[in-house]
Amino acid sequence: MSGNTFGKSFCVTSFGESHGPAIGCVVDGCPPGLAISEADIQRDLDRRKPGQSKYVTQRKEPDEVRILSGVHDGVTTGTPIALVIENTDQRSRDYAKIEDVFRPNHADYAYMQKYGRRDHRGGGRSSARETAVRVAAGALARKFLSERFGIEVRGCLSRIGPYSFEARDWSAVNQNPFFCPQPEQVPELENYINKIRKLGDSIGAEIYVEAVGVPAGWGEPVFDRLDADLAHALMSINAVKAVAIGDGFDVVNQLGSQHRDEMSPQGFLSNHSGGVAGGISTGQSVTARMALKPTSSIIVPGQTINAQGESAQVRTTGRHDPCVGIRATPIAEAMLALVLIDHCLRNRAQNADVSPTPGPIPGQL
Amino acid sequence: MSGNTFGKSFCVTSFGESHGPAIGCVVDGCPPGLAISEADIQRDLDRRKPGQSKYVTQRKEPDEVRILSGVHDGVTTGTPIALVIENTDQRSRDYAKIEDVFRPNHADYAYMQKYGRRDHRGGGRSSARETAVRVAAGALARKFLSERFGIEVRGCLSRIGPYSFEARDWSAVNQNPFFCPQPEQVPELENYINKIRKLGDSIGAEIYVEAVGVPAGWGEPVFDRLDADLAHALMSINAVKAVAIGDGFDVVNQLGSQHRDEMSPQGFLSNHSGGVAGGISTGQSVTARMALKPTSSIIVPGQTINAQGESAQVRTTGRHDPCVGIRATPIAEAMLALVLIDHCLRNRAQNADVSPTPGPIPGQL
Amino acid sequence: MSGNTFGKSFCVTSFGESHGPAIGCVVDGCPPGLAISEADIQRDLDRRKPGQSKYVTQRKEPDEVRILSGVHDGVTTGTPIALVIENTDQRSRDYAKIEDVFRPNHADYAYMQKYGRRDHRGGGRSSARETAVRVAAGALARKFLSERFGIEVRGCLSRIGPYSFEARDWSAVNQNPFFCPQPEQVPELENYINKIRKLGDSIGAEIYVEAVGVPAGWGEPVFDRLDADLAHALMSINAVKAVAIGDGFDVVNQLGSQHRDEMSPQGFLSNHSGGVAGGISTGQSVTARMALKPTSSIIVPGQTINAQGESAQVRTTGRHDPCVGIRATPIAEAMLALVLIDHCLRNRAQNADVSPTPGPIPGQL
Amino acid sequence: MSGNTFGKSFCVTSFGESHGPAIGCVVDGCPPGLAISEADIQRDLDRRKPGQSKYVTQRKEPDEVRILSGVHDGVTTGTPIALVIENTDQRSRDYAKIEDVFRPNHADYAYMQKYGRRDHRGGGRSSARETAVRVAAGALARKFLSERFGIEVRGCLSRIGPYSFEARDWSAVNQNPFFCPQPEQVPELENYINKIRKLGDSIGAEIYVEAVGVPAGWGEPVFDRLDADLAHALMSINAVKAVAIGDGFDVVNQLGSQHRDEMSPQGFLSNHSGGVAGGISTGQSVTARMALKPTSSIIVPGQTINAQGESAQVRTTGRHDPCVGIRATPIAEAMLALVLIDHCLRNRAQNADVSPTPGPIPGQL
């Protein structure tokens, strides 16, 4: 019943607060024999790290991961893998002045109602800092999926405020601080974010993720469908308010004859479904989008209440992201990878004996 | 690891195929002392039942539910409640001709890849018939939520093809076969659906659901957030391709100062968040939308492959819905109710001792 | 968190009361492709059935199982398998007189404290009748284990009152109503049980079970060890008060040099460990024992309290077993089979890629 | 499906190898508002710590626990609590010589078969060192149970080799290195253990544990009975081969009229059942016993095989306990506490509304 464990077969149990001694997780169920080092994980963590550009929070965290267990001679042993990242750059004093008031749309009011108390420093458990742990665990999943199945998991910024981008140039995505797949748009994006920041405000964003090379047969209907678990995974990321698989909300105005992905001996002829049918992967690319709300920690003053239920005003002046979506691409990728590895393992529990049947493998869309 | 159990505390385990002897479920974890009868459940089932108007599949199923356990003298005892609905009107011969080919975007190809075999009759386990079971289990949840907390769960059709509707007239919703909240639009809708059916095609739809009166404090971050579990629940419904909480994808182009729901001693001043912050209910109404794709069982011929991997053509001529979204409103309500009761129980496992703190109860939005 | 689901990968969700309409279960996670019929399950159910000899309860239940789902053309499809057994011979009036008093050591007092109410008819959910469902689910597990791995699961009565038996003659076990492996002792046993029944009293018993042919590598330390899950499984059977693996409590006075099972290229030289080391199967036979208390439903009057907390006397005059252990052998076998199949599937989720290493296969003890 | 998580509501996820950088756990589901410090946990850890007397392994570990999350201002916040203990005194070279051979009855052969590899240093994950983590998590559980319900959890050595002890003098238990409740026997015990050690051999033991003050109503039949989960918990401790609740195996030769615990308005008149009926606590003391086998790491040479499957001889010369049972009392107490808190929370998920009914509270046995 634990709410801090993700997955049923590849299980990630997360812990840690923004301003406590450390954050981390335990990964239970990782297959043995996977070569993994702290450097492998660090590479992904560094992509998400705060303080890397002026467009994100200026908190500087080295985010150095330490493997405490489950790896011997550089290889996973099949036992639980504990990953720990110490917190270092905590400016808790920034939060002293907001200790008594609830920030509108921030988690602190809900936490207080639920637990009767809260760790107000930096959002405590509800801080986006927690997502570093997902990226670390996701690094294990990605390496397994890549090595055993040749699966590539990747993502990019697809929308921000009024701008939208197509996943056109994958090589550019990691070359700019926004994970923007249209590099020619980056200067305008920089101007836009600077403008939002000067207003003391924030803006929403949309992230696109896909996994190429997923075999057919992963997903556990009727409840734990691959797409349902992916919706759960992406919606569990801080600030996410919507999730779409394949064509998403566009299906509302599609005809059946337009939407269905026809098949030929040469493969699928389209991919409106996002690679999932009946909750099970089809062999097409798994594709999804998620929307992130503008952060609620902004300088523009807002009306709120204090811990006594009285009217109050709030302005948040700590180090915050003008757009939490900017750093969300590696997190979305990590969650997609975690869903896939979990379903890979779950599928083989029941169906390890099943032989593949003939189907559209060549040129899958 | 079971994929057919929903919930961690109020657990619904579903079974049954479209053309097998029966469908049903076992509900484990229902609190004792809830007055419940077969008639209470039947009321909800009848709202979803096929064959009620000419706009849905003409399969006629009485959908009579039988309670096999867990209720004594009309009251739940705290032991598992088994609900069974016998299948009666099965025309399996309709499916003989499609036994050998895969319908594009239908689950049968994925099932075959996963399990190495499939029950081709009426979609077997992947049939929308399975959702009757969710409605039955949801009826228990709704009654508990209503009696103990005064929570009302309700939904309506919000979009279909090019049409969109506002949740303006709740009293009208159950008076038309589309669950349309703008009754003056029903005649035009009838024309539209007739047109789609004559084309031998199908169309997508969007459903809106809300729960009014949900207390603050339900939801288990960081993974089992209330919104993440709701996304999982709605995306697990047949044909759903996207889920939005509160303002959903609109947040991409909202400023933080627009999006945040300011608070006053008189309550929240808006509800962009859909009643969830940090994954925990805030006391506002919980609101969500989901998009359903057009059904893949259509008469318009399509290109596909057969079980031998060879090129083939398919036309589906059984009794099918021109828009599966038309009957989806009671299913979405049921899933919302199941998520809420599960989180109600999970929250009190850990936090039964927590007393509510002062906050915006009056006039919650 | 459901207490009525057994297993994490091969999941059995049980329902039903002694005097309700039916008992049954849903099995989720059974691999597809297993040939199974109602007759296959009936064979095991008939071994446990009440009313078969004068040494057990005279309740006559045909115990006819019906498969409602998950099997198509005589073969499992990979979807949930629902099994239902209707109750027929219910004499609820027998229980009217004990409605108001608590039987000492019976579950009714505890149920009342927990749920605030109880179904007093025949013990309701706490009746041993519930174990028929375990036997039915176990039949699926046994067939899978036998066909895929050649595993044989078997058991016998090992002790009853002052008598003890050795598992000497397996062919005799199913030829007498006590599952006694020393057929020459049966007449004396009959006399003994008759004596106990004439006294209006009851007696305890011990059951031995073993599984021959279990591969090395099943079990999930550190908590879900194979032996720990087996202890859970056996202790979850009505009336069981103790469980032993291998030499059990005898290890208290064994030296390490006596207890350890030495190994040779020709196999293990002994089996004190009961086939489990570090929580993982070793390839030896898995062996266990369990003790069942004397039933608390006896005619000898006893001191108790009534529902108002006042002093009262109780005599139970319904149809009861003088020794619940007599019919417990098939139940213990079923639970052992359920533990094994669950761990088989769990192991291959994580370790499907692991190749066996050289080890003592020939002549395993 | 994770095998390293214990509990469904108060969830303990354990990690760490004997000779890796650290061991630890994450506790998810601990109610907020519990005052807890590292010193509170250290007190229990110190009771289990190695190297404290010459009767146990001479490995010297300070076993200093560090709380990484979930506690703010000395009080639990309701978020996951990570506990970490660094390993310091690792003499891995002791193990170099046994790298290649399998110790009979030790976990290393089974680990190798399961995972295809093993961390041979000090038993890796299968080392008794892992149990320190259980004691740390158990300390949280004990504090909660004591403060909220007045429950006292305690245990002692009840048998070792040919000696047996009665739980006569609880005040003496923590005053001797054996947790022996009959202090006058300690000198003879010392002689006995010295003799075993001089033989280079080891011996088994039995531990008794009880919880006084457990309310009626905890336990989730039919599978997750309180006694079944306790059997699972105790059997999951290294070296445990048998578990008994209440009278345990003695019930085999008890009459129903002897065994049943009669009730009066003044309370129960006996406690043969060990405080559990129908899988639910009755309000009596919960009592259990467990048997630990003699450790397999001994100096007496034994016949075995090596990694190539060839015949070999083994002698283990590292620092080992002559009787692992000597230090097992705090571990058994911890597991009992973890089972109780988990069932406390699970019970209130479903039954928080149930009011206690009249029953034998005064002078419960």
Side-chain angles (χ1 to χ4, degrees), chain B residues 200-266:
Chain B
D201 216 325
S202 62
I203 188 71
E206 184 193 271
I207 304 295
Y208 170 76
V209 278
E210 66 177 28
V212 184
V214 177
W218 295 1
E220 302 294 328
V222 294
F223 294 119
D224 293 353
R225 294 164 191 251
L226 186 62
D227 41 2
D229 277 7
L230 184 51
H232 174 263
L234 297 179
M235 195 72 93
S236 81
I237 298 172
N238 292 39
V240 173
K241 300 305 287 181
V243 174
I245 308 293
D247 285 358
F249 278 102
D250 292 349
V251 301
V252 174
N253 198 15
Q254 288 177 347
L255 291 169
S257 54
Q258 295 174 303
H259 176 81
R260 65 176 163 185
D261 299 317
E262 292 182 294
M263 299 160 89
S264 79
Q266 285 71 46

Side-chain angles (χ1 to χ4, degrees), chain D residues 337-361:
Chain D
L338 290 174
V339 170
L340 289 173
I341 194 171
D342 191 49
H343 275 285
C344 167
L345 303 188
R346 289 178 71 177
N347 181 57
R348 67 190 197 180
Q350 188 181 17
N351 301 313
D353 302 328
V354 174
S355 311
T357 54
I361 303 151

Side-chain angles (χ1 to χ4, degrees), chain B residues 44-49 131 134-135 138 142 155-156 174 179 207 209 237 325-336:
Chain B
D44 278 8
L45 276 176
D46 287 348
R47 291 176 65 219
R48 193 215 71 104
K49 205 162 65 175
T131 57
R134 304 178 181 216
V135 172
R142 294 172 80 138
C156 63
N174 288 318
F179 300 94
I207 304 295
V209 278
I237 298 172
I326 291 179
R327 292 198 287 140
T329 294
I331 308 165
E333 292 169 3
M335 294 312 296
L336 173 51

Side-chain angles (χ1 to χ4, degrees), chain A residues 15-25 38 42 45 48-50 59-68 82-90 129-130 132-133 136, chain D residues 15 21-22 38 66-69 82-86:
Chain A
F15 68 85
E17 280 81 43
S18 176
H19 287 60
I23 58 173
C25 67
E38 283 155 355
Q42 201 64 48
L45 277 175
R48 193 215 71 103
K49 206 162 65 174
R59 176 168 175 171
K60 297 268 192 300
E61 284 287 359
D63 270 3
E64 271 177 32
V65 69
R66 198 174 153 220
I67 300 174
L68 295 189
L83 304 174
V84 173
I85 302 167
E86 305 273 329
N87 288 328
T88 55
D89 181 24
Q90 311 147 5
R129 178 143 186 76
E130 168 264 322
V133 164
Chain D
F15 67 86
E38 283 156 355
R66 199 175 152 220
I67 300 175
L68 294 189
S69 65
L83 304 175
V84 172
I85 302 167
E86 305 272 332

Side-chain angles (χ1 to χ4, degrees), chain C residues 51 55 89 116-117 134 140 168 200 239 248 283 300 318 330 335-336 348:
Chain C
Y55 308 103
D89 182 24
R117 69 193 59 240
R134 305 177 180 217
L140 291 171
R168 204 182 289 158
V300 181
M335 294 313 295
L336 173 51
R348 65 190 198 180

Side-chain angles (χ1 to χ4, degrees), chain C residues 13 19 31 44 54 95 98 113 126-127 142 148 154 184 186-187 207 211 230 235 238 254 280 302 364:
Chain C
T13 300
H19 288 59
D44 277 9
K54 57 181 185 172
Y95 297 92
I98 58 161
Q113 292 291 345
S126 72
S127 165
R142 295 171 81 138
R148 303 284 167 96
R154 59 194 184 187
E184 71 284 4
V186 169
I207 305 295
L230 184 51
M235 195 72 93
N238 293 39
Q254 289 177 350
I280 299 170
Q364 301 277 356

Side-chain angles (χ1 to χ4, degrees), chain B residues 1 9 29-32 78-79 144 148 345 348-354, chain D residues 1 9 29-32 78-79 144 148 345 348-354:
Chain B
M1 220 184 53
S9 201
C30 185
T79 62
F144 177 85
R148 303 285 166 96
L345 304 188
R348 65 190 199 180
Q350 187 181 18
N351 300 314
D353 303 329
V354 173
Chain D
M1 217 182 55
S9 200
C30 186
T79 61
F144 177 85
R148 303 284 166 96
L345 303 188
R348 67 190 197 180
Q350 188 181 17
N351 301 313
D353 302 328
V354 174

